[in-house]
Amino acid sequence: MRRRMIIMAGAPVIAGALALSACSSGGSKGGGGGGGKPTYTIGFQGPLTGPNAQLGINIDWGVKLAVQQANAKGDLPFTLKVKEADDQGDPAKGPTAAQQLIGDSSVIGVVGPTFSGATKAAEPLFTQAGMASVSASATNSSLTDPANGFKTFFRIVPPDSAQGLSAADYMTKVLKVKSVYLIDDKSDYGVGLAGNIKSQLTANGVQVTGDSVAAGTNDYSAVATKVANSGAQAVYYAGYYADAAPLAKALKNTSFTGKAMSDDGTNDPKFIQLGGSASEGWQMTCPCLSATASSDEAAKKFVSDYTALANQPPGTYSPEGYDVTNTFIQVMKPLGSNVTRAKVVDGLRGVDYKGLTKQIKFQPNGEVTEKGIYVYEVKNSQITAIGTVDKLISG
């Protein structure tokens, strides 16, 4: 099958903290809405500042757009507001951010957390509060393990076990590499994803060597030299764009000529902005849909509306953030003026909502039923969609 090359949003960064603050509000349960309607708040938790803030900002604007559109229709039995909690993507800050939302009685559910580590740290609090958190992006496979007791956690993206398997199969069956150098960033997300990739590569008969380099490392020249000296035909980095970019620059200064790949944490125009020409040719796997690459009319309208509101095109996980918010609204609307955190959790367990990215239905453990892993590539300084792994393998 011919590869489909479509331009994804080459996005400059961001509207900024002032715009985000202006759109943020707490609201109050049971009153204060327009026309005597009660007011309910949908929370957002993710990085709005810090080295990988763009991934949170992408989702946050999707949340705001969905709420703005829902209120504008005028047919809701309540008024919606948005409250943000910035965890900087840091697991250590996850519980504090979660508590900011839990402590506001008007918040009936949370879009997020965005990163897996922060999710793992925050979920015990959300479960204790009986409040649903639905992530648009946290993919660590262990998050939905029933042994964790995260009883109010849901996500609309497939886990890293699915991305890891697809990434390994893509490298094996499409790129046809025989050896891979695998690097993780020592985060819950990076380590988990790298482990899934390694297992499948090994099963495929591919030679795997690797390293772990903590996120925030200043100098990637040492590991880049290791990659080049290893003779590996491909390198895969499991981590976020803030570190993938300096790694790409370091690799460019070596003799490495193999294929360079990374994941959804790197699949953002910020990677190109930070990595410059060194990012050219890198490929990324992602359980995310590029709305800007879609020919669907609803997706085109989303891109237009999102860009008008955020003053930037949607990025990675923007459509998923929009879908999560609309899923909340789908559950809340029949509840009228009797929306509670417990009723929202119950509603999510039975929801069946057609979003921009997929049909949203949850398994008992909170995993979304529909799965799909895409491959993107940096081409001419823009992220382009190549296609789904399944279709690329089938040819």
Side-chain angles (χ1 to χ4, degrees):
M1 180 176 179
R2 184 174 64 91
R3 289 187 179 181
R4 183 164 158 255
M5 306 294 288
I6 306 172
I7 301 300
M8 183 182 176
V13 186
I14 50 185
L18 286 177
L20 291 168
S21 298
C23 291
S24 158
S25 57
S28 60
K29 184 179 180 181
K37 297 178 180 178
T39 298
Y40 298 109
T41 302
I42 294 176
F44 165 77
Q45 181 180 333
L48 297 174
T49 59
N52 292 297
Q54 189 61 51
L55 294 172
I57 292 168
N58 291 344
I59 297 171
D60 189 37
W61 280 114
V63 176
K64 291 170 180 171
L65 176 61
V67 166
Q68 181 193 68
Q69 291 178 338
N71 283 332
K73 285 181 180 177
D75 61 349
L76 290 179
F78 43 74
T79 300
L80 287 171
K81 291 187 176 181
V82 177
K83 182 183 180 77
E84 298 148 323
D86 179 11
D87 63 17
Q88 297 184 14
D90 183 347
K93 295 181 172 62
T96 300
Q99 196 57 55
Q100 290 173 11
L101 299 173
I102 292 168
D104 183 340
S105 62
S106 77
V107 178
I108 51 74
V110 174
V111 181
T114 300
F115 287 3
S116 293
T119 301
K120 186 177 181 180
E123 284 311 312
L125 294 176
F126 286 131
T127 296
Q128 187 176 20
M131 186 156 73
S133 74
V134 186
S135 182
S137 55
T139 53
N140 182 277
S141 299
S142 69
L143 290 173
T144 53
D145 185 338
N148 292 327
F150 299 163
K151 297 180 179 178
T152 59
F153 176 67
F154 304 81
R155 59 182 167 197
I156 71 161
V157 288
D160 288 336
S161 55
Q163 182 177 189
L165 187 152
S166 293
D169 282 349
Y170 174 76
M171 287 187 279
T172 306
K173 299 175 183 178
V174 179
L175 300 182
K176 300 188 183 302
V177 300
K178 303 296 184 185
S179 57
V180 174
Y181 200 100
L182 192 57
I183 306 171
D184 70 70
D185 67 352
K186 294 190 175 181
S187 70
D188 287 332
Y189 162 66
V191 172
L193 177 59
N196 287 306
I197 294 172
K198 183 178 180 179
S199 295
Q200 187 61 26
L201 284 174
T202 301
N204 290 346
V206 175
Q207 179 183 349
V208 182
T209 53
D211 220 328
S212 294
V213 183
T217 297
N218 292 324
D219 185 357
Y220 278 89
S221 59
V223 72
T225 300
K226 288 183 180 179
V227 173
N229 291 341
S230 73
Q233 293 177 319
V235 59
Y236 191 103
Y237 179 70
Y240 299 99
Y241 65 73
D243 289 278
L247 172 61
K249 288 182 175 178
L251 272 175
K252 192 174 181 181
N253 292 326
T254 72
S255 59
F256 178 70
T257 57
K259 197 65 183 178
M261 292 196 69
S262 190
D263 48 35
D264 49 314
T266 298
N267 187 45
D268 191 274
K270 282 288 283 184
F271 171 59
I272 303 172
Q273 181 181 333
L274 296 173
S277 61
S279 65
E280 192 72 15
W282 273 63
Q283 293 188 350
M284 289 78 66
T285 53
C286 188
C288 60
L289 172 71
S290 168
T292 53
S294 175
S295 59
D296 180 76
E297 290 302 318
K300 290 180 180 177
K301 185 177 188 306
F302 167 77
V303 172
S304 176
D305 292 345
Y306 183 104
T307 304
L309 178 65
N311 197 33
Q312 61 175 328
T316 299
Y317 292 126
S318 294
E320 283 78 7
Y322 180 78
D323 274 356
V324 171
T325 310
N326 278 317
T327 301
F328 270 118
I329 297 170
Q330 175 83 1
V331 168
M332 293 169 62
K333 192 173 180 180
L335 299 175
S337 60
N338 297 306
V339 180
T340 66
R341 292 174 178 178
K343 289 180 179 177
V344 170
V345 172
D346 288 342
L348 286 169
R349 288 178 176 139
V351 74
D352 187 357
Y353 173 70
K354 176 63 176 176
L356 279 175
T357 62
K358 58 178 64 71
Q359 192 74 30
I360 298 172
K361 299 169 64 175
F362 297 109
Q363 302 174 44
N365 65 353
E367 295 281 12
V368 71
T369 58
E370 187 173 321
K371 297 175 172 62
I373 305 297
Y374 297 80
V375 179
Y376 298 93
E377 181 175 4
V378 179
K379 188 177 180 64
N380 299 322
S381 300
Q382 292 184 301
I383 295 177
T384 63
I386 295 177
T388 64
V389 171
D390 287 346
K391 289 184 178 178
L392 292 169
I393 289 176
S394 65

